Amino acid sequence: MVSHYDLSRTFEIKGRDFSKAGYVSINIKEILRELGIDPVIVRRVAIASYEAEMNVVMYASKGEMALKLNPKVIQITLEDEGPGIENIDMAMQEGYTTATDEIREMGFGAGMGLPNIKKNADVFELKSTVGKGTSYNIVIYLNSKGNV
Amino acid sequence: MTLKEAIERLGLHVLTSEEVGDAKVTGGYTCDLLSNVMANCKTGNLWITMQTHQNVLAVAKLKDLAGIIFVNSRQPDEETIQKANEEHVTVLNTDESAFSISGQLYQLLKEP
Ligand SMILES: Nc1ncnc2c1ncn2[C@@H]1O[C@H](COP(=O)(O)OP(=O)(O)O)[C@@H](O)[C@H]1O
Ligand SMILES: [Mg+2]
């Protein structure tokens, strides 16, 4: 029998569409909650996936997020088509942002997204090709406590 | 303290149409930066903010917040209210400032 824990789903994210922003992450959170995953883990996944999703909405044209789950790990991967990131070390720094004033007025663009993903993930890999896009690999172990 | 009691005691206006349940208010968090709220707000908190656009709703859902309080009589647009109703997020407002309503909620939650 295939365990209900072995799961793989993909979700589309539209760039610059603030009306749907966050709903892929809500979807993922509901799936994890229904499976009875530890709420502490679910909260960490929710923070990481939300920040990754919002970065597609704010900076890219479109993206695809995938959720993979087995009894040991939750993996979220994200591939987007967009401008990419020139300097990843700089982007990872707290407070660094290229968000426009308009976006900042909405309360986004505090430059805390990537640092918060790093804090909540056990593994966080970010790769990017300028002019093409960015990919995120986020892994959270089901038995881990994270760095928070 | 239930959400219902908190609303009564603080004189908050309920902007959504769904009846307010007996969900427990576990605390409050005052901030206008969404990433900061995502990182630090706790389950069951009341979120006090001046951000009234619809993106606050996803944050409230992801963090299982008790509700959102818009300060200084700020009124969200119809679309936000409608979405809040669909998503079962309790949206409130107050004539008070963020400073004042945070202080009042803090006192209220300290009551034995
Ligand atoms: N998917 C992405 N595509 C292009 N640029 C990105 C992407 N994700 C992050 N960035 C860049 O990294 C910066 C820092 O991101 P983040 O830490 O989430 O903070 P913020 O979104 O508040 O700016 C962004 O301002 C942006 O320049
Ligand atoms: Mg971000």
Side-chain angles (χ1 to χ4, degrees):
Chain A
M1 199 187 91
V2 178
S3 155
H4 63 288
Y5 264 110
D6 288 301
L7 181 143
S8 174
R9 293 277 307 271
T10 59
F11 308 87
E12 302 296 324
I13 303 167
K14 269 203 227 159
R16 290 169 200 96
D17 182 1
F18 280 87
S19 73
K20 300 276 182 331
Y23 283 81
V24 166
S25 301
I26 290 173
N27 223 318
I28 288 174
K29 178 191 163 221
E30 292 300 329
I31 291 171
L32 299 180
R33 181 157 55 191
E34 270 166 33
L35 290 173
I37 307 287
D38 176 359
V40 177
I41 300 279
V42 176
R43 285 199 283 276
R44 283 171 51 204
V45 174
I47 293 170
S49 75
Y50 177 77
E51 294 294 355
E53 179 179 359
M54 288 313 302
N55 281 352
V56 176
V57 174
M58 289 190 281
Y59 308 111
S61 322
K62 61 174 178 175
E64 188 175 272
M65 190 178 269
L67 166 70
K68 285 205 183 86
L69 179 68
N70 69 38
K72 290 215 172 90
V73 290
I74 297 172
Q75 182 186 32
I76 304 252
T77 53
L78 171 65
E79 304 272 341
D80 76 35
E81 287 172 29
I85 302 174
E86 223 158 284
N87 186 334
I88 288 187
D89 288 340
M90 202 181 250
M92 288 294 300
Q93 282 172 22
E94 292 189 4
Y96 176 84
T97 184
T98 59
T100 60
D101 287 350
E102 198 188 347
I103 284 178
R104 299 234 310 271
E105 267 162 34
M106 291 169 76
F108 297 113
M112 292 307 298
L114 298 176
N116 282 347
I117 296 174
K118 195 174 172 194
K119 263 187 212 147
N120 285 282
D122 292 305
V123 176
F124 177 33
E125 292 164 332
L126 188 57
K127 293 196 185 106
S128 192
T129 310
V130 174
K132 282 199 128 167
T134 303
S135 73
Y136 288 62
N137 179 31
I138 298 164
V139 175
I140 293 176
Y141 300 115
L142 282 160
N143 61 2
S144 74
K145 299 218 159 43
N147 315 307
V148 267
Chain B
M1 172 86 35
T2 67
L3 179 56
K4 215 175 191 161
E5 284 175 282
I7 289 169
E8 277 165 21
R9 296 282 301 276
L10 298 172
L12 304 172
H13 313 295
V14 183
L15 306 178
T16 36
S17 55
E18 200 170 46
E19 209 192 314
V20 175
D22 285 327
K24 203 169 170 274
V25 176
T26 56
Y29 199 76
T30 309
C31 189
D32 296 324
L33 297 174
L34 277 67
S35 284
N36 188 283
V37 176
M38 274 307 294
N40 298 313
C41 210
K42 302 274 189 300
T43 302
N45 280 185
L46 269 172
W47 175 19
I48 297 162
T49 183
M50 53 164 267
Q51 299 291 357
T52 56
H53 56 79
Q54 57 176 328
N55 290 100
V56 297
L57 302 174
V59 173
K61 277 191 79 103
L62 281 165
K63 301 297 289 184
D64 296 307
L65 303 184
I68 310 173
I69 306 175
F70 300 138
V71 297
N72 298 329
S73 312
R74 278 178 172 253
Q75 190 74 32
D77 57 29
E78 261 314 304
E79 212 187 329
T80 302
I81 305 263
Q82 198 187 319
K83 209 164 166 183
N85 284 326
E86 286 164 15
E87 303 288 345
H88 313 290
V89 176
T90 303
V91 168
L92 312 152
N93 80 357
T94 174
D95 309 337
E96 311 272 341
S97 69
F99 173 75
S100 159
I101 201 69
S102 301
Q104 291 175 46
L105 177 61
Y106 182 84
Q107 286 301 330
L108 196 58
L109 291 171
K110 271 208 326 196
E111 281 180 11

